Amino acid sequence: MAKIQAIKAREILDSRGTPTIETTIWSDTGQAAVAAIPSGASTGKFEAVELRDGDPSRFKGMGVIKAVDNVNKIIAPKVVGMDPLYQSKVDKVLIDLDGTDNKSKLGANAILSVSQAVCELGALISGRAIFQYLAEKYALVSLNWSSLPVPIFNLINGGKHGAGNNLDFQEFHIYASSRQSFGESLRMGETVYQTLKESLIKRNAAYSVGDEGGFAPNLYTNTDALELLVEAINLSNFTLGKDIFLGLDTASNSFFKNGKYVVKDKSQPLTTEEMIEFYVQLNKDYNLFALEDGLKEDDFDGWAKLTSEIGANTLIVADDLVVTNKKRLKQAIEKKACNAVLIKPNQIGTISETVDVIKLAKDSKLAVVVSHRSGETNDDFIADFAVGMGANYVKFGAPARGERVIKYNRMGMIESLLKPAQTETSKPDNDRA
Ligand code: PGA
Ligand code: ZN
């Protein structure tokens, strides 16, 4: 039996230059694992608590010294000596030590940094890559290079990620058809990304990027952003609806004001019913493959209506509605409020609880989308996690910027590890899109 020998957390910076926590755990086998935790900007109000110092004299209050101290002084003495292969036992100690419903005492950032590093260390000690370790441990997937999660590329950023641009919707996505291998999907996504950049340059529009690496132009409407994507797909010689599909994460909480949805595309603020009608129209025009957070985070009934309207052919993805929380997912399932769930480990705070949510989603035939956060680090654990859990999709931002591409490149590495030598790039016919 291996034992955890030492734990040390420290404060590092994320991709926005905001502090976050990184934890290293050593075992008595002489091995060590490091986990760095990401951070959201359009955070759901039901997420577990990310502990920040609130001391305005350091990092404008965004320091994480309290979370670091919680790992080094409170968590470490209880977890040192435990076997890193026993993920759920370690996670139970972390959950009990915190003792709150939303991890507000120790901080979900502090807790997850330990939980994730324990998982990575377990893999190391077992002599397995993390994705293999997880696939064996939880038995949720049979690993195969031709059924890796399909990447969702976020090519245009707006809302809270839009570098101050004027788009209300937060993310404008493209999906390559799941007929393609991961490597081919990445090439296609990157081709459209570069073509979109050329189109923006031709129009004298800004081609600077937002928090997730997608372009952040100022446009007249959100629909214009979809039009730009259609143009870039066509100019790249791909066929919309065959090779490539469109999707949205509107992150609608951020434009819900005084009881109505306020979007540039409409002259008047919209009621829930009217907002649903707008999505029905967008779906007619653009055949949306997925729509995430189309309505606000506590409107289960509105979500159920939206799912009944367009859920037959569109993934209705719950991010802020469910926040990787089993209780909220149960509610969403009972109300038929979505047919897909976004998974972000830091919304709940431990690996074991995240796995439980994925199990429930799979048992209930919901699609699983494993996601990064808008504030990221160069940690690529999430790519292994998605593959090892058998996620249907991964969402790691644009195919650009270091903290995003490290995850896509890790997926490429996993594909090459799983692929038999000299396999063609096109896959057997198991089209999901
Ligand atoms: P966040 O955004 O990481 O800023 O919360 C990502 C998302 O809404 O999916
Ligand atoms: Zn989202």
Side-chain angles (χ1 to χ4, degrees), residues 2 28 67 137 175 193 222 235 424:
D28 61 357
K137 194 177 185 66
Y175 296 62
Y193 182 79
N222 299 286
L235 287 172
E424 298 289 323

Side-chain angles (χ1 to χ4, degrees), residues 16 39-43 161 170-171 212 249 292 319 342 344 371-374 395:
R16 280 191 277 253
S39 172
S42 72
T43 314
H161 300 165
Q170 181 178 280
E171 303 176 14
E212 296 192 353
D249 176 1
E292 181 178 327
D319 173 10
L342 205 79
K344 294 166 168 168
S371 170
H372 69 161
R373 300 301 306 241
S374 53
K395 190 175 96 153

Side-chain angles (χ1 to χ4, degrees), residues 11 133 177 185 212 239 297 323 334:
E11 190 179 58
Y133 174 70
S177 154
S185 300
E212 296 192 353
T239 307
E297 60 199 335
V323 291
E334 273 160 28

